[in-house]
Structure formats: C-alpha cells, structure tokens
Amino acid sequence: SSGINAEWPLRPGNGWLLPILRDNISNSELKYFVSDLVPITATLRTRAETLKKENRTLDAKVCFNLEFQIWSLLPSFCKKPTDLLDSFKVIAKTMGTLIGQRQEIRNVLCTSLISLIETCQTDDQKIELGRFAKNFLPILFNIFMSEPKPEDPPQKPVIDCIGSYLSICPQNTLHVFFEKLLAKSKEEVMTDHVKKVVLELLVTMISYLGLGDLNTMYGEIVPWLTEPGNANRQKRAYQILLSILDGKTEAHDRFVTSHMDDLYKHLAESLALATPAAKKHRLKCLLSLVKKLDIENFDFIPSVLPEVS
C-alpha cells in the first residue's frame, strides 16, 4: 500500500502478481483481507474517481482494474479460511452493502459467499454464516427481483448464492422468508418478470423447507396442476413438486411417505390438463414417484404407462 501515491497509477508495480495470488490462495486468514486489502481497494476507488474527474481516463481505468483484481482475491481467501468464526462478522456488513451497491464486483462477492459456505468444515462455522442469512438473503432477493438491464452482470452467481445461503439458513428464518415469498406470489399487481422470479425462488427454497412449510407449499400448488390458461405456473408447480419428491432431508421423506395416495390421485387427475411446457417436469415427477413405490401401490404404474411410453 505504500506505493499508492499521486503518480502510482502510472507505475502499477507488482500488480501482475494479483492473478497469481488469486489462483494460489487457500486456508488463509480473512482478517488479512479485511485489515490490509480492503483499505487499498477504498484508496484505489477514490483515486480512480479523482483521475476520472481530471479526464485522466487511462490512469483511472488502471485504478479501477486493480481494485477489481484485489476484490477478485476474496473468493480465494474464502476457501477454508482459518479464522472464519472471528473474522467473517467483521467483513459481512461491507460485503452486504457492496453486493447491493456495486454491481461490477457483485458476482465476485457472491462467489466469495458461496466459497465460504461450500468449504465450511464445522457446524460452528455453518451456524456463524447462517446467522447472517437474515441480512444477505433480502439483498440477494431484491437484486434477483429487479428487472435486469442489458448492461447488468449475469445473475447466475446471485441465484447460486441464494441457493447456497438457503442451505445453511436457520429454519425459523427460512420460514419467515418462505411466508413472505408465498404472499408475494399471490399479489395481483406484479410484472411478468417478478412473477417468474418469485416462482423460481420458491422452487429454489423447496429443497430446504421444514415439514410444515412443505405441507403449505403442496396445498398451494395442487390447484396449479389443473389450472387452465397458465402454462408457466403449471410448469413451476411440477418443478416444485419434483423438488419435494427429490428432497434429501428427513422432512421431505416424511412428507412424501405421508402423501403417497394423494400424490397418485392428483397426478392421475391432472394428466389430461398437462400443458406441453409442463410435460417434461411432469414426467420427471412420475419417474421420481415410481421409484418410491412399494408393492401395495404398483397399481399406479399401469395408469401412467401410456404417458411415459
């Protein structure tokens, strides 16, 4: 940082090391990134803005690029950091603020959160990260619901980050988000984009819900299976049903076991009303259900054979 001065952009020095560091850092300390590198990014950004006002466009671009390269180190610092329990809470607020405000580094920050969650090594670490679900998920939901502009960065890292955070979200917090999304899905005045995104978020959330919320969601989507004139909602209903059927948790197993007869009934009744857009997801639901059949329910197979042949 000592090299950052008035003429520093003209002599970037050891900036070429940053991509090498990015590819080789792991098991490091988040504290170092927070205490040493975050202040450098702030200095670079301030300097870049000043240079831009002075019409020194090329020098400003060098500063912006270096700032981005330093932020690009964060996903590597988030691979099995040794001090997660002590240091994540120090950087969490900054990350949340920047995810909401700085779209040019948003995907790097989302990738960093995914890396932290996926490389968690202890339950304590998952609990610590999960504590911040109530802070990060509303920010991520709002970004995902916003109508995208052509110049916006790809949203895949955002939905991937939502999925990762939902996987460690405390059940009580998850229940609150589920109820809010479900209420949102019932609003009459909504853009097509928001309708689509709300249903996509519900599909993503299903894999992590508890038994009570699974029952609620199932009750909501059953009418969609036979709803005329809304192909997209019917397709989403089958996607949600498939997520329930393929769920890996005890809650999902208990739900499917206790709803077998009801599932057969509704899938049989909805056959004639399945739209072309929903057919693929419906067939996947049938296949998943057939795999769970016991001997007493084999009579369900002849009723679906014409559909899968």
Side-chain angles (χ1 to χ4, degrees):
S1 60
S2 59
I4 299 177
N5 53 49
E7 293 305 315
W8 181 77
L10 304 178
R11 296 182 286 105
N14 294 327
W16 60 272
L17 283 169
L18 294 173
I20 297 173
L21 288 171
R22 181 194 63 211
D23 295 338
N24 290 279
I25 293 172
S26 66
N27 298 93
S28 187
E29 292 184 352
L30 272 175
K31 180 183 177 183
Y32 175 77
F33 190 90
V34 174
S35 62
D36 287 51
L37 298 184
V38 170
I40 294 177
T41 64
T43 302
L44 283 167
R45 178 141 183 96
T46 302
R47 183 77 182 124
E49 296 289 358
T50 301
L51 290 166
K52 193 175 177 182
K53 289 175 184 175
E54 295 172 357
N55 292 319
R56 295 170 66 180
T57 308
L58 186 59
D59 292 341
K61 189 174 181 180
V62 170
C63 277
F64 279 128
N65 286 342
L66 282 167
E67 183 212 7
F68 179 80
Q69 285 184 306
I70 291 173
W71 277 113
S72 296
L73 297 177
L74 184 56
S76 300
F77 275 91
C78 290
K79 288 178 186 173
K80 301 180 182 178
T82 58
D83 61 341
L84 187 153
L85 293 176
D86 295 321
S87 297
F88 180 67
K89 55 180 169 280
V90 181
I91 197 174
K93 185 177 180 181
T94 299
M95 290 179 74
T97 301
L98 293 177
I99 285 171
Q101 296 179 356
R102 297 279 308 280
Q103 67 175 24
E104 67 274 19
I105 59 171
R106 177 180 297 153
N107 287 350
V108 167
L109 295 167
C110 286
T111 303
S112 300
L113 287 174
I114 293 169
S115 183
L116 277 173
I117 293 165
E118 290 185 349
T119 63
C120 264
Q121 295 178 292
T122 68
D123 288 341
D124 284 348
Q125 290 179 344
K126 286 183 181 178
I127 291 169
E128 175 64 10
L129 291 171
R131 282 200 309 122
F132 293 89
K134 66 183 184 297
N135 307 107
F136 281 107
L137 283 170
I139 296 168
L140 295 166
F141 288 160
N142 286 336
I143 292 167
F144 197 51
M145 285 189 194
S146 301
E147 196 82 38
K149 301 181 181 67
E151 66 272 16
D152 286 352
Q155 287 202 318
K156 187 176 185 307
V158 176
I159 189 64
D160 287 347
C161 191
I162 288 171
S164 287
Y165 235 115
L166 288 172
S167 73
I168 59 165
C169 185
Q171 274 296 315
N172 58 339
T173 306
L174 189 58
H175 172 71
V176 171
F177 286 135
F178 169 69
E179 288 199 320
K180 287 182 178 178
L181 272 178
L182 195 57
K184 183 76 176 171
S185 73
K186 297 176 184 178
E187 290 180 8
E188 293 184 7
V189 181
M190 223 186 317
T191 66
D192 289 341
H193 171 75
V194 172
K195 283 180 188 175
K196 176 186 171 187
V197 164
V198 168
L199 288 175
E200 189 169 342
L201 287 172
L202 283 171
V203 170
T204 303
M205 191 175 282
I206 286 298
S207 298
Y208 311 105
L209 292 179
L211 186 58
D213 289 334
L214 288 174
N215 279 309
T216 301
M217 189 72 253
Y218 181 68
E220 291 292 331
I221 66 166
V222 163
W224 300 359
L225 299 176
T226 54
E227 185 178 13
N230 198 330
N232 185 55
R233 198 145 82 149
Q234 189 184 88
K235 174 183 167 184
R236 292 299 186 194
Y238 281 112
Q239 285 179 313
I240 289 170
L241 184 56
L242 183 62
S243 293
I244 293 174
L245 290 169
D246 287 349
K248 307 297 184 189
T249 71
E250 182 186 348
H252 289 78
D253 290 341
R254 287 173 60 195
F255 175 87
V256 173
T257 301
S258 63
H259 285 74
M260 275 292 188
D261 291 341
D262 202 53
L263 287 163
Y264 303 146
K265 174 176 173 285
H266 287 302
L267 283 171
E269 288 176 350
S270 58
L271 168 58
L273 294 163
T275 62
K279 279 288 176 74
K280 180 177 79 171
H281 302 287
R282 175 180 166 83
L283 286 172
K284 286 183 178 180
C285 287
L286 290 172
L287 179 60
S288 182
L289 193 58
V290 166
K291 287 178 180 177
K292 300 176 190 295
L293 288 178
D294 53 37
I295 254 180
E296 295 173 0
N297 301 112
F298 275 2
D299 57 348
F300 174 68
I301 294 178
S303 69
V304 299
L305 275 177
E307 188 171 358
V308 298
S309 58

